[in-house]
Amino acid sequence: MAPARDSSSLLREAGLRATAARVALLNALCATHKPLKAAELRRSAGRGMDLVTVYRAMDALEKAGLAKRIGVDRTSASWEFAHRAHHHHLVCRGCGELEDVGECAVEGLEKRVLGKSKRFASVSDHSLEFFGTCRDCASAARAA
Amino acid sequence: MAPARDSSSLLREAGLRATAARVALLNALCATHKPLKAAELRRSAGRGMDLVTVYRAMDALEKAGLAKRIGVDRTSASWEFAHRAHHHHLVCRGCGELEDVGECAVEGLEKRVLGKSKRFASVSDHSLEFFGTCRDCASAARAA
DNA sequence: TCCCTATTGCAAATGACTTGCATAAGCATA
DNA sequence: TATGCTTATGCAAGTCATTTGCAATAGGGA
């Protein structure tokens, strides 16, 4: 999925400088339909940028609302292009492979959840992940 | 919630040695209704054990099916006693405060999700977290 | 009670991510 | 197009949660 307008314009419209690193990262992000980790982003962006730059740039993209951070596991973060329909993820317990799950059956549950809580003032957001085994890991396990 | 039988028996039945550290951790876990982080567990267990011991013990408890690891965010893991009804969590974006959400509206969705995937062989599990702001953080933000 | 083996503590390593600082681009303006 | 202020970047070093190696210690079955 290429962005509606080129990445530089998107960046500038979001109030960010259209630097080479950010453009490359945003392109990489748009080109993929699954969340990318910092190291994958650097690889996909294809110009030897520092990992630190990836983190800082993604931080900027995130604040500007162009990228969305996915907190699937506790070992490393991933990001995906933000201008996408709300959806969830399927995660492999073996290799960490990620796949999108199109539908969201949880919309509208947030209010109910908040209503039952005494300690919370608001609920803005939710995340739903399904865990399982991808075919590769399943056959690897069978072979072992 | 105290365990049905004392922690030592639970451990031994699970095939683990009932060491002082594991008993203390399991007690701490059962005494709380919310997931505890490694450092909190050490504090709650109340005997100056090494943090490394907490990690190794929780790993053992987890493998034995006595504790459940919660992967809410990417900054630190939490565990809760495993013998509890399936439920989800409400997480404060400000301070990380965690609260249980009793109901699960996602049960039964797993099969449907798996059916739509081409890359996955099985789905065993899911996690659903709601994010928001707890009252403390909300009033702190108002005051600032 | 003894002995073998699992577990613990300590120290050091790892891996993801962040921070400080000097240099190198952006880009608005002249 | 050249200028100059400001924001980004690279590099090196630091932080934080978690893991690993190893020697010392403590369960618990015989």
Side-chain angles (χ1 to χ4, degrees):
Chain A
M1 175 167 84
R5 20 183 109 249
D6 66 295
S7 298
S8 314
S9 321
L10 269 181
L11 284 162
R12 251 178 259 108
E13 280 166 30
L16 294 178
R17 287 193 180 172
T19 67
R22 292 176 181 167
V23 169
L25 286 168
L26 196 48
N27 281 333
L29 216 55
C30 293
T32 317
H33 273 267
K34 66 170 198 175
L36 297 170
K37 297 182 200 291
E40 296 170 330
L41 272 167
R42 172 167 67 175
R43 218 176 311 119
S44 309
R47 35 188 311 286
M49 81 182 71
D50 198 287
L51 245 193
V52 180
T53 302
V54 176
Y55 286 112
R56 285 198 270 223
M58 293 318 295
D59 202 52
L61 294 192
E62 199 187 339
K63 283 205 182 83
L66 291 172
K68 204 175 157 207
R69 188 186 205 121
I70 312 290
V72 164
D73 56 23
R74 82 200 66 66
T75 60
S76 71
S78 319
W79 289 266
E80 60 186 12
F81 188 51
H83 295 177
R84 307 190 47 198
H86 178 66
H87 65 280
H88 298 298
H89 300 106
L90 197 45
V91 189
C92 177
R93 288 274 195 212
C95 62
E97 173 73 9
L98 267 173
E99 186 176 308
D100 283 0
V101 170
E103 68 191 303
C104 174
V106 188
E107 218 91 85
L109 211 65
E110 292 182 358
K111 270 198 208 67
R112 186 138 47 104
V113 165
L114 179 59
K116 289 192 176 174
S117 167
K118 281 171 188 149
R119 273 209 301 265
F120 274 71
S122 65
V123 174
S124 59
D125 195 13
H126 67 260
S127 93
L128 172 57
E129 325 291 343
F130 294 90
F131 299 97
T133 311
C134 72
R135 293 194 190 289
D136 288 353
C137 287
S139 48
R142 229 176 289 122
Chain B
M1 176 168 81
R5 19 183 111 249
D6 67 295
S7 299
S8 314
S9 321
L10 269 181
L11 284 162
R12 251 177 257 110
E13 280 166 30
L16 293 178
R17 285 193 181 172
T19 67
R22 306 218 265 228
V23 169
L25 287 168
L26 196 48
N27 281 334
L29 214 55
C30 294
T32 318
H33 273 269
K34 66 170 198 176
L36 297 171
K37 297 183 200 292
E40 296 171 330
L41 272 167
R42 172 166 69 173
R43 219 177 309 119
S44 310
R47 33 188 312 287
M49 81 181 72
D50 198 287
L51 244 193
V52 179
T53 302
V54 175
Y55 284 112
R56 286 197 270 222
M58 293 318 296
D59 201 52
L61 293 192
E62 198 187 340
K63 284 204 182 83
L66 291 172
K68 203 174 158 209
R69 188 186 205 121
I70 311 291
V72 165
D73 56 24
R74 82 200 66 67
T75 60
S76 70
S78 319
W79 290 266
E80 60 184 12
F81 187 51
H83 295 176
R84 308 190 47 198
H86 178 67
H87 65 280
H88 297 295
H89 299 106
L90 197 44
V91 189
C92 177
R93 289 273 194 212
C95 62
E97 174 72 9
L98 267 172
E99 186 176 309
D100 283 359
V101 170
E103 67 191 301
C104 174
V106 188
E107 219 92 84
L109 211 66
E110 292 182 0
K111 270 197 208 67
R112 186 139 47 103
V113 165
L114 179 59
K116 289 193 178 174
S117 167
K118 282 172 188 149
R119 274 209 302 264
F120 274 71
S122 65
V123 174
S124 58
D125 195 12
H126 66 260
S127 93
L128 171 57
E129 325 290 345
F130 294 90
F131 299 97
T133 310
C134 72
R135 293 194 191 290
D136 287 354
C137 287
S139 49
R142 229 176 290 121

